[in-house]
C-alpha cells in the first residue's frame, strides 16, 4: 500500500489497472421461487440457528409463503414426494454454524451511550419556512422538483446499479452520505436495495442505519452465496432494514478484521443480481478496496468536508483522476459536507473549481441531527437536508445509467 509523499502516483497507477476491468455484470433478475412450505425448520439446518433460512422469515414478498395452505392431500406419499422434489432442487449447501450475533452499540449497564436525537433545524427556522411557503408560490415549485426527482429515482434498470461512496480522509461524512443515499433509493424504488459495507475499520454505517445486531460480514458472504440461491435465501444472511432495504456489514465491531479486494469482488459479484441498487460504503483512499470499488462501479460519490483543506485536496485527487478512463471521472459526484452552520467559505467558488475537472458537485448542508451522530431519523432531518439527499441520489443514479 502506498504511503508517504509518493502515494498519489501509486493510486493513479493502481486505478488505471483497476479501471480496465470495466463495469460488466449480470442482469438484475427477479428472485427465484422459494422452497415448499414447512411446518418446522427447514430440513438440513441446525436447530441452534446456524442456517439463516427459517420458516417465518420477515421477508414475505414475491410470492413466498411460509405456511400450509388447505388440508393434507389425499394421495398417498404426496407430501413425501414434495419433500424429495424440493430437496433435489434446493439451493447449494448452507453452513450449519455461523458467527454469533453481536450488538452494534454496547449501551453499558447504565445506558450511558443513549441520547435523545434533536431535529435538524430549530423550531424558529421551521416556522419561518412554513410561513414563507404559505405566502409565496414556492410550494408549487417544490412539488414540481420532487416530482422530477422521483421520476429519475424510479427509472427501471436492467442491471443492478452499484454506487460506491468513498473519500480521501476520515470525518468527511462518508458513511452518513452512504446512509442517506441508500435510504432515499429504498424509499422511492420498488426493487430491493443493499447497503454493502466495505470499510472494516469500525465503520459507522450500521449505527447510522439503526441496526441493532450484526452477524455475517462481507468477507464471509463472499464464499457463501451461490448463483442458484433465491432472494429469500440470500436475505437470511443480511440485516433487514425498513423499506425493503438490507445491510451487509464489514465487521462486527472488532479491530483487526480484514477485507481484501478479492473477497470484496466475490461478494459484489455474488450479490449484485439480487438488488436493483447497491450502495457501497468503501474505505478511504488510497486503500486497496476503495481503489477497486472506484474503478469498477457504475457510479461514484467522493465526499469532502467543506473546508479550504478538504476542497484543495479533493481538487488534487480529481486532477489525478482526469488521467484515468473518461467514465471514471464522468460518473463521479463530489459531495461537499458542511461541518459547521456558517463556515464563511465561498461555496459557489468552491463548486466551480471542482466542476472544472469534469465532475458533478452537490452540497450537503449542515444539519443538527446529522451532526449529533447515532441513528438517522429521516423525519428529524432538516428540510434542506432531505432535498439535498434526493438531488444527490438522483444525480448519481442518472450518471450511473449513462454511457460515458
Amino acid at each position: 500500500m502506498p504511503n508517504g509523499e509518493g502515494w498519489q502516483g501509486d493510486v493513479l497507477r493502481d486505478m488505471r489497472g483497476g479501471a480496465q476491468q470495466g463495469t460488466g455484470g449480470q442482469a438484475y433478475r427477479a428472485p427465484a421461487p422459494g422452497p415448499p412450505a414447512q411446518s418446522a425448520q427447514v430440513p438440513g439446518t441446525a436447530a441452534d440457528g446456524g442456517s439463516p433460512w427459517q420458516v417465518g422469515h420477515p421477508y414475505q414478498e414475491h410470492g413466498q409463503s411460509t405456511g400450509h395452505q388447505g388440508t393434507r392431500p389425499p394421495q398417498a406419499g404426496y407430501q413425501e414426494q414434495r419433500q424429495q422434489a424440493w430437496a433435489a432442487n434446493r439451493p447449494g449447501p448452507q453452513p450449519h454454524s455461523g458467527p454469533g450475533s453481536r450488538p452494534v452499540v454496547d449501551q453499558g449497564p447504565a445506558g450511558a451511550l443513549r441520547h435523545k436525537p434533536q431535529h435538524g433545524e430549530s423550531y424558529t427556522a421551521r416556522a419561518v419556512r412554513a410561513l414563507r411557503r404559505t405566502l409565496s408560490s414556492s410550494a408549487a415549485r417544490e412539488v414540481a422538483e420532487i416530482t422530477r426527482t422521483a421520476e429519475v429515482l424510479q427509472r427501471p434498470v436492467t442491471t443492478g446499479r452499484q454506487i460506491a461512496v468513498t473519500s480521501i480522509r476520515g470525518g468527511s461524512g462518508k458513511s452518513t452520505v452512504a446512509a442517506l443515499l441508500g435510504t432515499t433509493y429504498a424509499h422511492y424504488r420498488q426493487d430491493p436495495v443493499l447497503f454493502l459495507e466495505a470499510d472494516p475499520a469500525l465503520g459507522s454505517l450500521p449505527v447510522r442505519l439503526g441496526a441493532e445486531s450484526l452477524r455475517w460480514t462481507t468477507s464471509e458472504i463472499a464464499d457463501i452465496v451461490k448463483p442458484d440461491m433465491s432472494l429469500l435465501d440470500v436475505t437470511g444472511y443480511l440485516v433487514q432494514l425498513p423499506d425493503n432495504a438490507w445491510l451487509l456489514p464489514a465487521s462486527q465491531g472488532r479491530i483487526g478484521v480484514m477485507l481484501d479486494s478479492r473477497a470484496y469482488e466475490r461478494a459484489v459479484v455474488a450479490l449484485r443480481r439480487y438488488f436493483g441498487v447497491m450502495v457501497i460504503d468503501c474505505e478511504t483512499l488510497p486503500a486497496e478496496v476503495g481503489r477497486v470499488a472506484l474503478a469498477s462501479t457504475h457510479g461514484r460519490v467522493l465526499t469532502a468536508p467543506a473546508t479550504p483543506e478538504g476542497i484543495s485536496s479533493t481538487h488534487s485527487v480529481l486532477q489525478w483522476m482526469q488521467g484515468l478512463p473518461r467514465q471514471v471521472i464522468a460518473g463521479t459526484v463530489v459531495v461537499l459536507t458542511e461541518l459547521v452552520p456558517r463556515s464563511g467559505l465561498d461555496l459557489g467558488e468552491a463548486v466551480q473549481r471542482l466542476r472544472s475537472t469534469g465532475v458533478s458537485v452537490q452540497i450537503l448542508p449542515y444539519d443538527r441531527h446529522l451532526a449529533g451522530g447515532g441513528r438517522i431519523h429521516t423525519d428529524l432531518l432538516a428540510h434542506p437536508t432531505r432535498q439535498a439527499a434526493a438531488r444527490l441520489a438522483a444525480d448519481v443514479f442518472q450518471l450511473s445509467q449513462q454511457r460515458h
Side-chain angles (χ1 to χ4, degrees):
M1 185 176 296
N3 52 51
E5 297 295 331
W7 68 266
Q8 297 94 337
D10 292 334
V11 170
L12 183 58
R13 287 192 296 272
D14 291 342
M15 290 176 65
R16 278 176 176 163
Q20 295 174 359
Q21 299 174 5
T23 58
Q26 304 177 20
Y28 169 76
R29 72 179 190 182
Q38 304 295 323
S39 59
Q41 193 174 1
V42 177
T45 60
D48 59 355
S51 176
W53 202 99
Q54 296 192 12
V55 174
H57 192 282
Y59 188 77
Q60 297 293 327
E61 297 185 17
H62 303 291
Q64 304 285 0
S65 176
T66 58
H68 285 292
Q69 302 293 331
T71 59
R72 186 177 186 275
Q75 296 89 345
Y78 177 80
Q79 187 66 20
E80 285 188 15
Q81 294 175 6
R82 292 185 66 211
Q83 298 280 356
Q84 294 172 359
W86 175 71
N89 297 280
R90 66 177 296 185
Q94 301 204 11
H96 289 261
S97 62
S101 298
R102 290 175 59 91
V104 174
V105 177
D106 187 3
Q107 298 287 355
L113 295 181
R114 298 177 183 174
H115 75 288
K116 181 179 180 180
Q118 59 179 340
H119 200 283
E121 56 185 345
S122 65
Y123 175 81
T124 302
R126 284 175 279 162
V128 170
R129 176 173 290 105
L131 181 60
R132 288 177 178 174
R133 291 185 61 188
T134 303
L135 301 178
S136 67
S137 59
S138 61
R141 292 194 300 269
E142 181 178 322
V143 170
E145 180 182 356
I146 293 175
T147 302
R148 289 192 298 269
T149 301
E151 290 175 352
V152 173
L153 293 172
Q154 293 172 353
R155 289 176 183 172
V157 294
T158 56
T159 302
R161 300 291 92 181
Q162 303 159 35
I163 298 173
V165 183
T166 186
S167 64
I168 60 173
R169 61 174 62 192
S172 63
K174 175 175 62 69
S175 295
T176 298
V177 170
L180 291 174
L181 271 177
T183 301
T184 302
Y185 293 132
H187 175 74
Y188 281 97
R189 300 188 61 80
Q190 296 298 318
D191 42 20
V193 173
L194 175 65
F195 294 88
L196 189 147
E197 191 180 33
D199 185 1
L202 300 180
S204 60
L205 183 61
V207 177
R208 292 308 240 170
L209 294 174
E212 296 182 357
S213 62
L214 307 175
R215 189 178 182 190
W216 300 93
T217 64
T218 302
S219 58
E220 295 165 339
I221 288 296
D223 297 319
I224 292 177
V225 176
K226 305 300 180 184
D228 56 355
M229 284 186 175
S230 68
L231 177 64
L232 185 61
D233 295 320
V234 172
T235 54
Y237 293 97
L238 309 177
V239 179
Q240 188 172 16
L241 302 170
D243 292 330
N244 203 19
W246 308 87
L247 165 67
L248 179 59
S251 69
Q252 290 187 331
R254 295 188 180 98
I255 297 176
V257 176
M258 300 300 295
L259 175 65
D260 57 37
S261 59
R262 291 185 179 181
Y264 163 78
E265 289 174 342
R266 292 200 308 272
V268 170
V269 169
L271 293 169
R272 63 188 178 187
R273 70 188 183 93
Y274 296 97
F275 300 92
V277 179
M278 184 186 300
V279 177
I280 305 167
D281 183 9
C282 300
E283 295 176 294
T284 57
L285 295 174
E288 179 186 15
V289 174
R291 298 197 306 268
V292 172
L294 197 67
S296 60
T297 51
H298 301 99
R300 303 154 195 88
V301 176
L302 183 63
T303 63
T307 61
E309 300 84 3
I311 293 171
S312 177
S313 56
T314 301
H315 184 262
S316 299
V317 170
L318 294 175
Q319 287 180 318
W320 301 329
M321 290 174 62
Q322 287 178 319
L324 302 175
R326 184 176 179 275
Q327 66 268 17
V328 176
I329 198 165
T332 299
V333 179
V334 174
V335 180
L336 294 178
T337 57
E338 293 190 279
L339 306 179
V340 293
R342 289 174 291 275
S343 63
L345 185 70
D346 188 342
L347 287 178
E349 181 181 349
V351 169
Q352 291 301 322
R353 182 182 179 188
L354 297 176
R355 282 179 178 169
S356 66
T357 63
V359 299
S360 177
V361 182
Q362 298 285 345
I363 297 175
L364 182 64
Y366 174 79
D367 187 291
R368 295 191 311 176
H369 179 61
L370 294 179
R375 178 182 179 180
I376 296 177
H377 299 267
T378 54
D379 56 327
L380 294 180
L381 292 173
H383 183 70
T385 304
R386 292 196 295 268
Q387 289 183 313
R391 286 194 299 267
L392 170 61
D395 192 4
V396 67
F397 185 73
Q398 190 169 21
L399 289 176
S400 72
Q401 294 183 293
Q402 296 178 358
R403 292 179 177 269
H404 302 287

